[in-house]
Structure formats: structure tokens, C-alpha cells
Amino acid sequence: MAKYHRGQGKAKGSEAARLAARRTEGPSRRFERNARPSPRLPEGPSAEDLLKALAGEEAGATASQLAGAMQADARSVSISLKRLVEQGQVLEVRPGRYRASGSGGEHAAIVVETDGELFAKTNDGVQVPLHAKYRLGSRTGDVVQVLVASDGQALVTRVLRRGGRSVVGTVMFAPGGPRLIPDNRREGQMPVLTTYPKFHQEYNAGDRVVGTMEVDAQGQAGVHIERILSDETPEVADFRHVCLVHDLPGEFPPEVDRAAAGIGNSFPLQGAREDIRHKMVFTIDPATAKDFDDALSLEPRPEGGWLLGVHIADVSHFVRQFSPIDSEAAQRGTSVYLINRVIPMLPEKLSNGLCSLVPGEDRYCLTAWLELDRNCKLVGTRLAETLIHSKHRFSYEEALAVLEGRDEAGKWPADIRETLMRVSSVAQRLRSERVRAGALNLFSQEHRFHLDVEGEPIEVEREGSDISHQLIEECMLLANRGVAAWLKGKGYDCVYRVHAEPNQEKLGAFATALENLGLDSKRVSAGRYGLQGCLRDLESQPTSTRLVLNFLCLRAFSKAIYQVENIGHHALAFDDYCHFTSPIRRYPDLLVHRLVKHALGLGGYKQVEIRRDYLDAMARQSTWLEQRSENAERDLFARKAARYLSRRIGEEVAGVITGASGGGAFVQMLETGIDGFLPMRAFSDDRYDYDEERLALVGRNSGRVLGPGFELTVRIDAVDIERGDIVLGFPAVVAPAANPGNPVERERRQFQERKWKKRRDR
């Protein structure tokens, strides 16, 4: 149940007494008195019909796509699909996209135990032995997705429902018994199996509760309620809430801590490792960073051009395959960055210690030596284990000051200043080459919160991409591209980072948004260079318009993922691309490091996993874990945004419409970058209908079009901190709609209507 904050007020004495009386009633009575009849959903298609429809969709489909094809209610289809996923009959290949179990080689399954061994039981009843090293921590009763390898073993790629894990949500008292409504809305309702003794005396409507999930043999989940989530400081409450909702990992297991503690602190020069401690190596990182996983060097080539050294922390030296640290890192998949906290992939001794390329200390690296000709084109790649000694550490702010000539005189030695300036020049040449090859540089603005000691957001800061960030970005992109091409040239499979071509239907929506704002849309369908030209034209538009239109363009693309089938990276315009440069915080980078060392024939790496199907399974699980991390980070930002705006209820702010639906408009507030919802009931100047073709709300009488890019002033009306929802309204005096009696305005509106009618007829 949502708890919306709508400003401050004092309750009268009688009101306070009434509230106190209600608190003693018990939740069941209160729910009965306040119960509203739930709207009946149209009856959706049967599970059998849905499974048949999905079987005909080789690439999978969304709930709305299936509903359209089956002429069924989209919400009912969505609910049925989630239920089938929970039962292990349907795959959710990525958020909101479903596929029949078994398609693409992946199966939904339930983990069962037979004679002391674990098996993956698929929806057709087949039991496949579960590989002991590729279980992602799954246990008996868990609902998982598996890939069946060529050796007949099941490799877990995703855990859909983990029995025994904690969940958080609110309780709904229904005729069939109480049910938990999880805060993670994708999990669906669960029956409450048991509660603790004093639950009915202590629970108040809307309280968050914590329970333990139990999954039965059919994959159905229920929950045992253990406690009410107590009132804590925002710092603790928000962090704990996000961890519970997204099943994020906690402290490292004792065996992992013991393994990390046993690693020595010395860095002797051994084997084929090259000693480059004499070279001018430096790092650039955020001012607050502790895990420095990349460093740079640059020197001229005798024949002209440059030799760029990208030195990456040699995590694979310390984290060997199937060791306790490696198994835990594989289950985590990535470090999770939660504003002012980090849930690391590796223990602190490694992430902030032995693997961090701190200045003035010897460190092991895996180095990509990248040869660039006079035009800064990549002409050669060599990979080697190295021993470095970083000479200097810049923050991004310090590097930018040097590059812009604003640094304090004498603060930095002349040689490092000169090297930094040269690397920046090379990086801008690399960036120009990418653009010439058709790369799409989408415009976006990131915002971050500054928190007080109790976790309350006190300030929002806008982050940009300046030449210091571009310096690092371009060097890392080049290294990732060079390593992927090097492995491909050696004949090895790789865990690629791929990005597919855009969806033409969604590109059409982007073109529509351009037309709505009177901008040229003809080049949108003219390939990557046409789209690149459209994005370049938007640079002259106001920031808000440019931001929204770039966002709509981004929505035409699926997210980049990890896989072994190399289809290239469309947005970067790279034929070969992988992640190599961040093994401290991303598991796929660690996999690539091991593949490189195997290809180099280094001792200790001849037995690392190189089988294609096994790499494919690890790529899929890495994609899922990355999505989990991003969802957690997004949810925490939404909670902090609601907290920040809860103190500004009633204020009027400038915003821009980013989208619309039948219920209202989605608005981004320009000052903070926070998104809110403007419901239909807020519009008083006219009655509005949602025009799906124009992605806009259209006034019935005025013809006023409120679509993406339309700027307006809104009032912050209410926030729900637990849900991270923000409700907006209009100021008391709303700017009048376009005058329908004006002949010029009437003619313009009639022309627009004729144009849209022609498009619909086509």
C-alpha cells in the first residue's frame, strides 16, 4: 500500500484519538473497513495458449506483443507470463521479454535432489545433472534458468526464485488468506504461510515486513513473515531495502575472507612478466575512488605514431579459477555502486589493496600494448603480463585542470603534464575516428545525490562528460576492441560485449517525436550515418529537447549484453568488442583475462575454461547479474529522489515531457533530472486523449499536443518514498491552451490532423 507524503499538517485532538483507536483494531478489521472492490481484469488466455504463442516467437516477445497477436488484455497476459516464469515454464530472457523454455538452448527448471545429487528438472519432466561448479549458489527447490552443455550437464544462467532468501513488501488481507505484495513488483504476490506470534497486534496497514521465501516442488513461492521492517535512518533503511528487494549479496563468506587473508603482499618479478616500472605510468580516477584498475602510458614509435600502454590490474593472478574467491565473484558478477556505498565483487584486500594500481607501489598488470600509426589507427596489439610502478594519480578534476591550463604552477612535473596532454590529443583523434566510422554518441546527463550522515539527500549534482573523462573512455574502448580482435585472430572464443542494430518500429517512434517538434526525420531510417546526422542536428536544440530526443533514440536499441556469438557493437561501430579493462568490478573482464593468458600459453592457465557453451553460460549469467545491479542502483536513486522532493512538496519546477500513456504524462524535472508522473486528473484546461502514434496527449477541444520534448511548469504534489514514486500537478494558474478560435491556430491544427489521417490511412 502506497504511503504518499502530501505536505505537513497537525492532527486535531479528536483525529489523533481516532487514529490511536484504529491502531488497536488489528489489521484484519482495518482492511475489511477500508477494503475497496478490486477491478476485475479481463480473463486472459490460458497457460496452454500462451505457451503455444511463445513457441512461435523464435526471438521471444513482450507481454504487449503477445497480447496484440492474441487479441487479449495486455495486463492479464503480463500477469500470466510472470506466473509461468515463477513456475519454471517460461524464460524471461531479459526484463519484460519472454521466450519458450528450450528455445535458444536455455530451459526454465526447478532444482531437485535425487540420491544426494542435484538436478535441473525442466518443465517437460526431464532431469539434467547440475554441474557442481556452475550453480550460481542455487539449492533444492530454487527456480532457475539453465543452459544444457554439450557434455549433458546443466549450467545455471539465472536464479529466478531462491528459496530461503529474504523478501520485503506489504501484506494484503484477502478472502483466501493474507498475501505478501513484494516491493520488487516483478516477483508477483505470494501467500503468507506463517507469521510471528505478535504480528497481528503490531502490524499497521502499509508497514513493510520482512519474510523468508519458501519454494515448493512445483516452483510456487510462499513467505514466512519474520518481522516488521523497523524505522531506521534513511542511510540504513534505504540500503537494507534495496538489498532485500534485489537479493544483493552481503558479507563475504568466511572461506573467502580466509582465502584473501592468505594472499601474500609481495610482487616479485617472475616468469615471463615484463618489468616496466621505469615507464611513465599514471592513473585518472574519481576523487573518491579506491579501486584503481587501469593505468596508462604513451611513448612514440620509431616509425611514427604512438605506442599506447593500457595497464589493467592482473586480478587473474590472485583469483584462480574455481577458488573460493572466484566462485563468490562469479555469483556476484559485478560490484554494485549504491550512491555512497559499494557492494564489491572482490574482498577489500584485493579490490582496494593488492589489485589497486595505487601510485608509488609495485603492482601486477596485464598490459595491452596498442600500436597506433600517424593517423591514430590501430595497426598492432600485443598482450603481456607486466610489473608497473604508477608514478602519478590524477582525479578527473585535476586532469581537466591540466588539460585546460588551469592547474597550479609547479604542482605537476613537466614530463607528466606533457604525457597527459599527448594522451588527451591521441584520445580526441580516436574519438574522431569512431565518429567517422559511424559511432553514435548519444547525449545524456547523469545526476548524483550528496547525502548527509543519516543518508538524507541534501544536494543533487549534475555530472558531465568532459575531455578528462573522454581521455580514459577512448583509451579503454581501444583496449577492449584490440583485445577482442586479438583473441579472434588467435582462433579463440571470447565473451564479447555486443550491441544489436536498432528496432525499426521504435526508430519510427523516434522519427514521430522529431516530426512533432517540427524537425527533420527523413534520415532516421537511412542507416547509421543518417541516424548519426540526426543526432548531430539535435546539438543545436535546447538542452531539454535534445535530452528527451536522445533518450527516445536510445529506446530504439536493446541493451548491450554479453555473449559468445560475435555480432559486433552497433553503437560503437566496432566489429569486435569485449570488456577487458575492469576485472576488479566485472566478472566478464576476469574471464577475458584468463582467455588471454591461455592464448599466450602462460603456465597455470592451460586448464581455464575455453569451451564455447560454458563461456556462453557464464556470459548469460553475467548479463543477468549486471541487470540486477542496474535495477538496484535505479531503485535506490528513486528512493533518494522521493526523499529529496518530500521536503519540497508544493514547489513549482520546470520540466519536460519524456513520454505519455493513457494515464497521463511522464515528466523529467530539469533542475534535478528526477522523473515524476503527471496524471490525467491534473489537466483542467481540456480533456486529453493518448495518441499512441504521436506518443502524446492531445486535447479534445484545443488540439493541444503534449508530447516528448514539450516543456512545462509542474508542481510537486506527493511522493511515496517506499515505492520511489513522485506525483506531479499543475500550478494554481495554468497557462491557457492554444486558442481554438484563432484562425491561424485553427488552420495549423486542421493541417496537422489531415497529415496524421493520411499517415493512418497508409
Side-chain angles (χ1 to χ4, degrees), residues 253-325:
E255 63 271 19
V256 174
D257 286 332
R258 287 194 297 269
I263 299 175
N265 297 323
S266 61
F267 294 85
L269 187 64
Q270 297 175 330
R273 193 173 296 275
E274 300 174 8
D275 187 354
I276 59 170
R277 287 175 288 183
H278 60 285
K279 292 186 181 293
M280 179 61 71
V281 174
F282 65 94
T283 63
I284 305 177
D285 289 282
T288 57
K290 295 180 180 179
D291 53 343
F292 311 145
D293 50 13
D294 57 79
L296 298 172
S297 65
L298 185 72
E299 52 195 283
R301 297 170 67 220
E303 60 271 41
W306 300 98
L307 179 64
L308 175 66
V310 179
H311 315 284
I312 307 301
D314 192 358
V315 176
S316 61
H317 174 83
F318 301 100
V319 182
R320 296 305 175 110
Q321 182 174 261
F322 301 141
S323 67
I325 300 176

Coordinates of all heavy atoms in Angstrom, one line a residue, residues 253-325:
P253 N 31.6 -14.8 2.5 CA 31.6 -16.0 3.4 C 33.0 -16.1 4.1 O 34.0 -15.6 3.5 CB 31.4 -17.1 2.4 CG 30.7 -16.5 1.2 CD 31.3 -15.1 1.1
P254 N 33.1 -16.8 5.2 CA 34.3 -16.9 5.9 C 35.4 -17.6 5.1 O 36.6 -17.1 5.2 CB 34.0 -17.8 7.1 CG 32.5 -17.6 7.3 CD 31.9 -17.4 5.9
E255 N 35.1 -18.6 4.2 CA 36.1 -19.2 3.5 C 36.8 -18.2 2.4 O 37.9 -18.4 2.1 CB 35.6 -20.5 2.8 CG 34.5 -20.2 1.7 CD 33.1 -20.3 2.3 OE1 33.0 -20.1 3.6 OE2 32.1 -20.4 1.6
V256 N 36.0 -17.3 2.0 CA 36.5 -16.3 1.0 C 37.4 -15.3 1.8 O 38.5 -15.0 1.3 CB 35.4 -15.5 0.4 CG1 35.9 -14.4 -0.5 CG2 34.5 -16.5 -0.5
D257 N 37.0 -14.9 3.0 CA 37.9 -14.0 3.8 C 39.2 -14.7 4.1 O 40.3 -14.1 4.1 CB 37.1 -13.5 5.0 CG 36.0 -12.5 4.8 OD1 36.2 -11.8 3.8 OD2 35.1 -12.5 5.5
R258 N 39.1 -16.0 4.5 CA 40.3 -16.7 4.8 C 41.3 -16.8 3.6 O 42.5 -16.6 3.7 CB 40.0 -18.1 5.3 CG 39.4 -18.1 6.7 CD 39.4 -19.5 7.3 NE 38.6 -20.4 6.5 CZ 37.3 -20.6 6.8 NH1 36.7 -20.0 7.8 NH2 36.6 -21.5 6.1
A259 N 40.7 -17.1 2.4 CA 41.5 -17.2 1.2 C 42.2 -15.9 0.9 O 43.4 -15.8 0.5 CB 40.6 -17.6 0.0
A260 N 41.4 -14.8 1.1 CA 42.0 -13.4 0.8 C 43.1 -13.1 1.8 O 44.2 -12.6 1.4 CB 40.9 -12.4 0.8
A261 N 42.9 -13.4 3.0 CA 43.9 -13.1 4.1 C 45.2 -13.9 3.8 O 46.3 -13.5 4.2 CB 43.3 -13.5 5.4
G262 N 45.1 -15.1 3.2 CA 46.3 -15.9 2.9 C 47.1 -15.5 1.7 O 48.2 -16.1 1.5
I263 N 46.7 -14.4 1.0 CA 47.5 -14.0 -0.2 C 48.6 -13.1 0.3 O 48.4 -12.2 1.1 CB 46.5 -13.3 -1.2 CG1 45.4 -14.2 -1.7 CG2 47.4 -12.7 -2.3 CD1 44.4 -13.5 -2.6
G264 N 49.8 -13.3 -0.2 CA 51.0 -12.5 0.2 C 50.9 -11.1 -0.4 O 50.2 -10.9 -1.4
N265 N 51.7 -10.2 0.2 CA 51.7 -8.8 -0.2 C 52.9 -8.4 -1.0 O 53.0 -7.3 -1.4 CB 51.7 -7.9 1.1 CG 50.5 -8.1 1.9 OD1 49.4 -8.3 1.4 ND2 50.6 -8.1 3.3
S266 N 53.7 -9.4 -1.5 CA 54.9 -9.0 -2.2 C 54.6 -9.2 -3.7 O 53.7 -9.9 -4.1 CB 56.1 -9.9 -1.9 OG 55.8 -11.3 -2.1
F267 N 55.4 -8.5 -4.6 CA 55.3 -8.5 -6.0 C 56.6 -8.8 -6.7 O 57.2 -8.0 -7.3 CB 54.7 -7.2 -6.5 CG 53.3 -6.9 -6.0 CD1 53.1 -6.3 -4.8 CD2 52.2 -7.2 -6.8 CE1 51.8 -6.0 -4.3 CE2 50.9 -7.0 -6.4 CZ 50.7 -6.4 -5.1
P268 N 57.1 -10.1 -6.5 CA 58.4 -10.4 -7.2 C 58.2 -10.5 -8.7 O 57.1 -10.8 -9.2 CB 58.7 -11.8 -6.6 CG 57.3 -12.4 -6.2 CD 56.5 -11.2 -5.8
L269 N 59.3 -10.3 -9.4 CA 59.3 -10.4 -10.8 C 59.6 -11.8 -11.2 O 60.7 -12.3 -11.0 CB 60.4 -9.4 -11.4 CG 60.4 -9.3 -12.9 CD1 59.1 -8.7 -13.4 CD2 61.6 -8.5 -13.4
Q270 N 58.6 -12.5 -11.8 CA 58.7 -13.9 -12.1 C 58.3 -14.3 -13.5 O 57.4 -13.5 -14.1 CB 57.8 -14.7 -11.1 CG 58.3 -14.6 -9.6 CD 57.3 -15.3 -8.7 OE1 56.1 -15.4 -8.9 NE2 57.8 -15.8 -7.5
G271 N 58.8 -15.4 -14.0 CA 58.3 -15.9 -15.3 C 58.5 -14.9 -16.4 O 59.5 -14.3 -16.5
A272 N 57.5 -14.9 -17.3 CA 57.6 -14.0 -18.5 C 57.1 -12.6 -18.2 O 57.0 -11.8 -19.1 CB 56.7 -14.6 -19.6
R273 N 56.8 -12.2 -17.0 CA 56.3 -10.9 -16.6 C 57.4 -9.8 -16.9 O 58.5 -9.9 -16.5 CB 55.9 -10.8 -15.2 CG 55.1 -9.6 -14.8 CD 54.6 -9.7 -13.4 NE 53.6 -10.8 -13.2 CZ 52.4 -10.7 -13.4 NH1 51.9 -9.6 -13.9 NH2 51.6 -11.7 -13.2
E274 N 57.0 -8.8 -17.7 CA 57.9 -7.7 -18.1 C 58.0 -6.7 -17.0 O 57.0 -6.2 -16.5 CB 57.4 -7.1 -19.4 CG 57.3 -8.1 -20.6 CD 56.7 -7.5 -21.8 OE1 56.5 -6.3 -21.8 OE2 56.5 -8.3 -22.8
D275 N 59.2 -6.2 -16.8 CA 59.4 -5.1 -15.8 C 59.4 -3.8 -16.5 O 60.3 -3.4 -17.3 CB 60.8 -5.3 -15.1 CG 61.0 -4.4 -14.0 OD1 60.1 -3.5 -13.7 OD2 62.0 -4.5 -13.3
I276 N 58.3 -3.0 -16.2 CA 58.2 -1.7 -16.9 C 58.0 -0.6 -15.8 O 57.4 0.4 -16.0 CB 57.0 -1.6 -17.9 CG1 55.7 -2.0 -17.1 CG2 57.2 -2.6 -19.0 CD1 54.4 -1.7 -18.0
R277 N 58.6 -0.9 -14.6 CA 58.5 0.1 -13.5 C 59.2 1.4 -13.8 O 58.9 2.4 -13.2 CB 59.1 -0.5 -12.2 CG 58.2 -1.6 -11.6 CD 58.8 -2.3 -10.5 NE 60.0 -3.2 -10.9 CZ 60.7 -3.9 -10.0 NH1 60.4 -3.9 -8.7 NH2 61.6 -4.7 -10.5
H278 N 60.0 1.4 -14.8 CA 60.7 2.7 -15.2 C 59.9 3.6 -16.1 O 60.2 4.8 -16.2 CB 62.0 2.4 -15.9 CG 61.8 1.6 -17.2 ND1 61.5 0.3 -17.2 CD2 61.8 2.0 -18.5 CE1 61.3 -0.1 -18.5 NE2 61.5 0.9 -19.3
K279 N 58.8 3.1 -16.6 CA 58.0 3.9 -17.6 C 57.1 4.9 -16.9 O 56.7 4.7 -15.7 CB 57.2 2.9 -18.5 CG 58.0 2.1 -19.4 CD 57.1 1.3 -20.4 CE 58.0 0.5 -21.3 NZ 58.7 1.3 -22.3
M280 N 56.7 5.9 -17.6 CA 55.8 7.0 -17.1 C 54.4 6.5 -17.1 O 53.7 6.7 -18.1 CB 56.0 8.3 -17.9 CG 55.1 9.4 -17.4 SD 55.4 9.9 -15.7 CE 57.0 10.7 -15.9
V281 N 54.0 5.8 -16.0 CA 52.6 5.3 -15.9 C 51.8 6.1 -14.9 O 52.3 6.5 -13.9 CB 52.7 3.8 -15.5 CG1 51.3 3.2 -15.2 CG2 53.4 2.9 -16.5
F282 N 50.6 6.4 -15.3 CA 49.7 7.2 -14.4 C 48.3 6.7 -14.5 O 47.9 6.0 -15.3 CB 49.8 8.7 -14.8 CG 49.2 9.0 -16.2 CD1 47.9 9.4 -16.3 CD2 50.0 8.9 -17.3 CE1 47.4 9.7 -17.6 CE2 49.5 9.1 -18.6 CZ 48.2 9.5 -18.7
T283 N 47.5 7.2 -13.5 CA 46.1 6.8 -13.4 C 45.2 8.1 -13.3 O 45.7 9.1 -12.9 CB 45.8 5.9 -12.2 OG1 46.0 6.7 -11.0 CG2 46.6 4.7 -12.2
I284 N 44.0 8.0 -13.8 CA 43.0 9.0 -13.6 C 41.7 8.3 -13.2 O 41.2 7.4 -13.8 CB 42.7 9.7 -15.0 CG1 44.0 10.3 -15.6 CG2 41.7 10.9 -14.7 CD1 43.7 11.0 -16.9
D285 N 41.2 8.8 -12.0 CA 40.0 8.1 -11.4 C 39.2 9.2 -10.7 O 39.7 10.3 -10.4 CB 40.4 7.0 -10.4 CG 41.0 5.8 -11.1 OD1 40.2 5.0 -11.6 OD2 42.3 5.7 -11.1
P286 N 38.0 8.9 -10.3 CA 37.2 9.8 -9.5 C 37.9 10.1 -8.2 O 38.7 9.3 -7.7 CB 35.9 9.0 -9.2 CG 35.8 8.1 -10.3 CD 37.2 7.7 -10.7
A287 N 37.7 11.3 -7.6 CA 38.4 11.7 -6.4 C 38.2 10.8 -5.3 O 39.1 10.6 -4.4 CB 38.0 13.1 -6.1
T288 N 37.0 10.1 -5.2 CA 36.7 9.3 -4.0 C 37.0 7.8 -4.3 O 36.8 7.0 -3.4 CB 35.2 9.4 -3.7 OG1 34.4 9.1 -4.8 CG2 34.9 10.8 -3.2
A289 N 37.6 7.5 -5.5 CA 37.8 6.1 -5.8 C 38.9 5.4 -5.0 O 39.8 6.1 -4.6 CB 38.1 5.9 -7.3
K290 N 38.8 4.1 -4.7 CA 39.8 3.4 -4.0 C 40.3 2.2 -4.8 O 41.4 1.7 -4.6 CB 39.3 2.9 -2.7 CG 38.9 4.0 -1.7 CD 38.4 3.4 -0.4 CE 38.0 4.5 0.6 NZ 37.5 4.0 1.9
D291 N 39.5 1.8 -5.8 CA 39.9 0.6 -6.7 C 40.4 1.2 -8.0 O 39.6 1.4 -8.9 CB 38.8 -0.4 -6.8 CG 37.5 0.2 -7.3 OD1 37.3 1.5 -7.2 OD2 36.6 -0.5 -7.8
F292 N 41.7 1.3 -8.2 CA 42.2 1.8 -9.4 C 42.6 0.6 -10.3 O 43.6 0.0 -10.0 CB 43.5 2.7 -9.2 CG 43.3 3.7 -8.1 CD1 44.3 4.1 -7.3 CD2 42.1 4.4 -8.0 CE1 44.1 5.1 -6.3 CE2 41.9 5.3 -7.0 CZ 42.9 5.7 -6.1
D293 N 41.8 0.3 -11.3 CA 42.1 -0.9 -12.1 C 42.7 -0.7 -13.4 O 42.9 -1.6 -14.2 CB 40.8 -1.8 -12.2 CG 39.6 -1.0 -12.7 OD1 39.8 0.1 -13.2 OD2 38.5 -1.6 -12.6
D294 N 42.9 0.6 -13.8 CA 43.5 0.9 -15.1 C 44.6 2.0 -15.0 O 44.4 2.9 -14.2 CB 42.5 1.2 -16.2 CG 41.6 2.4 -15.8 OD1 42.1 3.5 -15.9 OD2 40.5 2.2 -15.3
A295 N 45.6 1.9 -15.8 CA 46.7 2.9 -15.8 C 47.1 3.1 -17.3 O 46.9 2.2 -18.1 CB 47.9 2.6 -14.9
L296 N 47.8 4.2 -17.6 CA 48.1 4.5 -19.0 C 49.6 4.9 -19.1 O 50.2 5.4 -18.1 CB 47.3 5.6 -19.5 CG 45.8 5.4 -19.6 CD1 45.1 6.7 -20.0 CD2 45.4 4.4 -20.6
S297 N 50.1 4.7 -20.3 CA 51.5 5.2 -20.6 C 51.4 5.5 -22.1 O 50.6 4.9 -22.9 CB 52.6 4.2 -20.3 OG 52.5 3.0 -21.1
L298 N 52.3 6.3 -22.6 CA 52.4 6.7 -24.0 C 53.8 7.0 -24.4 O 54.5 7.8 -23.7 CB 51.5 7.9 -24.3 CG 51.4 8.3 -25.8 CD1 50.5 7.2 -26.5 CD2 50.7 9.7 -25.9
E299 N 54.3 6.4 -25.5 CA 55.6 6.8 -26.0 C 55.6 6.7 -27.5 O 54.8 6.0 -28.1 CB 56.6 5.8 -25.4 CG 56.3 4.3 -25.6 CD 57.1 3.4 -24.7 OE1 58.3 3.2 -25.1 OE2 56.6 2.9 -23.7
P300 N 56.5 7.5 -28.2 CA 56.5 7.5 -29.6 C 57.0 6.2 -30.2 O 57.9 5.5 -29.6 CB 57.3 8.7 -30.0 CG 58.2 8.9 -28.8 CD 57.4 8.4 -27.6
R301 N 56.5 5.8 -31.4 CA 57.1 4.7 -32.1 C 58.2 5.2 -33.0 O 58.1 6.3 -33.6 CB 56.0 4.0 -33.0 CG 54.9 3.4 -32.2 CD 53.8 3.0 -33.1 NE 54.1 1.8 -34.0 CZ 53.7 1.7 -35.2 NH1 53.0 2.7 -35.8 NH2 54.1 0.7 -35.9
P302 N 59.3 4.4 -33.2 CA 60.4 4.9 -34.1 C 59.9 5.2 -35.5 O 60.4 6.1 -36.2 CB 61.3 3.7 -34.1 CG 61.0 2.9 -32.8 CD 59.6 3.1 -32.6
E303 N 58.9 4.4 -36.0 CA 58.5 4.6 -37.4 C 57.4 5.7 -37.5 O 56.8 5.9 -38.6 CB 58.0 3.3 -38.0 CG 56.8 2.6 -37.3 CD 57.3 1.7 -36.2 OE1 58.2 2.0 -35.4 OE2 56.7 0.6 -36.0
G304 N 57.0 6.3 -36.4 CA 56.0 7.3 -36.4 C 54.7 6.8 -35.7 O 54.5 5.6 -35.7
G305 N 54.0 7.6 -35.1 CA 52.8 7.2 -34.4 C 53.1 7.0 -32.9 O 54.1 7.5 -32.4
W306 N 52.3 6.2 -32.2 CA 52.4 6.1 -30.8 C 52.2 4.6 -30.4 O 51.6 3.8 -31.0 CB 51.3 6.9 -30.1 CG 51.4 8.4 -30.4 CD1 50.7 9.1 -31.3 CD2 52.3 9.3 -29.8 NE1 51.0 10.4 -31.4 CE2 52.0 10.6 -30.5 CE3 53.3 9.3 -28.9 CZ2 52.7 11.7 -30.1 CZ3 54.0 10.4 -28.5 CH2 53.7 11.6 -29.1
L307 N 52.9 4.3 -29.2 CA 52.6 3.1 -28.5 C 51.9 3.4 -27.2 O 52.5 3.9 -26.3 CB 54.0 2.3 -28.2 CG 53.8 1.0 -27.5 CD1 53.1 0.0 -28.3 CD2 55.2 0.5 -27.1
L308 N 50.6 3.1 -27.2 CA 49.8 3.3 -26.0 C 49.7 2.1 -25.2 O 49.4 1.0 -25.6 CB 48.4 3.7 -26.5 CG 47.3 3.9 -25.4 CD1 47.7 5.1 -24.5 CD2 45.9 4.1 -26.0
G309 N 50.1 2.2 -23.9 CA 50.1 1.1 -23.0 C 48.8 1.3 -22.1 O 48.7 2.3 -21.4
V310 N 47.9 0.3 -22.1 CA 46.8 0.3 -21.2 C 47.0 -0.9 -20.2 O 47.0 -2.1 -20.6 CB 45.5 0.1 -22.0 CG1 44.3 0.0 -21.0 CG2 45.3 1.2 -23.0
H311 N 47.3 -0.5 -19.0 CA 47.8 -1.5 -18.0 C 46.6 -1.7 -17.0 O 46.1 -0.8 -16.3 CB 49.0 -0.9 -17.2 CG 50.0 -0.2 -18.1 ND1 50.9 -1.0 -18.8 CD2 50.3 1.1 -18.4 CE1 51.7 -0.2 -19.6 NE2 51.3 1.1 -19.3
I312 N 46.2 -3.0 -17.0 CA 45.0 -3.4 -16.2 C 45.4 -4.3 -15.1 O 46.2 -5.2 -15.3 CB 44.0 -4.1 -17.1 CG1 43.6 -3.2 -18.4 CG2 42.7 -4.4 -16.4 CD1 43.1 -1.8 -18.1
A313 N 44.8 -4.0 -13.9 CA 45.1 -4.8 -12.7 C 45.0 -6.3 -13.1 O 44.0 -6.8 -13.6 CB 44.1 -4.5 -11.6
D314 N 46.0 -7.1 -12.7 CA 46.1 -8.5 -13.0 C 45.4 -9.3 -11.9 O 46.0 -10.0 -11.1 CB 47.6 -9.0 -13.1 CG 47.7 -10.3 -13.7 OD1 46.7 -11.0 -14.0 OD2 48.9 -10.8 -13.9
V315 N 44.1 -9.2 -11.9 CA 43.2 -9.9 -11.0 C 43.4 -11.4 -11.1 O 43.3 -12.2 -10.1 CB 41.8 -9.5 -11.1 CG1 40.9 -10.2 -10.2 CG2 41.6 -8.0 -10.8
S316 N 43.5 -11.9 -12.3 CA 43.5 -13.3 -12.6 C 44.8 -14.0 -11.9 O 44.8 -15.2 -11.7 CB 43.6 -13.6 -14.1 OG 44.7 -13.1 -14.7
H317 N 45.8 -13.2 -11.6 CA 47.0 -13.8 -10.9 C 46.6 -14.2 -9.5 O 47.1 -15.2 -9.0 CB 48.1 -12.7 -10.9 CG 49.3 -13.1 -10.0 ND1 50.3 -13.9 -10.5 CD2 49.6 -12.9 -8.7 CE1 51.2 -14.2 -9.5 NE2 50.8 -13.5 -8.5
F318 N 45.7 -13.4 -8.9 CA 45.3 -13.7 -7.5 C 44.0 -14.5 -7.4 O 43.9 -15.2 -6.4 CB 45.1 -12.3 -6.7 CG 46.3 -11.4 -6.7 CD1 46.4 -10.4 -7.6 CD2 47.3 -11.6 -5.8 CE1 47.5 -9.5 -7.6 CE2 48.4 -10.8 -5.8 CZ 48.5 -9.7 -6.7
V319 N 43.2 -14.4 -8.3 CA 41.9 -15.1 -8.3 C 41.9 -16.2 -9.3 O 41.6 -16.0 -10.5 CB 40.7 -14.1 -8.5 CG1 39.4 -14.9 -8.4 CG2 40.8 -13.0 -7.6
R320 N 42.2 -17.4 -8.9 CA 42.3 -18.6 -9.8 C 41.0 -19.2 -10.0 O 40.1 -19.2 -9.1 CB 43.3 -19.6 -9.2 CG 44.8 -19.0 -9.2 CD 45.2 -18.5 -10.5 NE 46.5 -17.9 -10.5 CZ 47.6 -18.4 -11.1 NH1 47.6 -19.6 -11.7 NH2 48.8 -17.8 -11.0
Q321 N 40.8 -19.9 -11.1 CA 39.5 -20.5 -11.5 C 39.1 -21.5 -10.4 O 39.9 -22.3 -10.0 CB 39.6 -21.1 -12.9 CG 38.3 -21.8 -13.4 CD 38.5 -22.3 -14.8 OE1 38.1 -21.6 -15.7 NE2 39.1 -23.4 -14.9
F322 N 37.8 -21.4 -10.0 CA 37.1 -22.3 -9.1 C 37.7 -22.2 -7.7 O 37.3 -23.0 -6.8 CB 37.2 -23.8 -9.5 CG 36.6 -24.0 -10.9 CD1 37.2 -24.9 -11.8 CD2 35.4 -23.4 -11.3 CE1 36.7 -25.2 -13.0 CE2 34.9 -23.7 -12.5 CZ 35.5 -24.5 -13.4
S323 N 38.5 -21.2 -7.4 CA 38.9 -21.0 -6.0 C 37.7 -20.4 -5.2 O 36.7 -19.9 -5.8 CB 40.1 -20.0 -5.9 OG 39.7 -18.7 -6.4
P324 N 37.7 -20.4 -3.9 CA 36.6 -19.8 -3.1 C 36.3 -18.3 -3.6 O 35.2 -17.9 -3.7 CB 37.0 -19.9 -1.7 CG 38.0 -21.0 -1.7 CD 38.7 -21.0 -3.0
I325 N 37.4 -17.5 -3.8 CA 37.2 -16.1 -4.2 C 36.5 -16.1 -5.6 O 35.7 -15.2 -5.8 CB 38.5 -15.4 -4.2 CG1 39.1 -15.4 -2.8 CG2 38.3 -13.9 -4.6 CD1 40.5 -14.7 -2.7

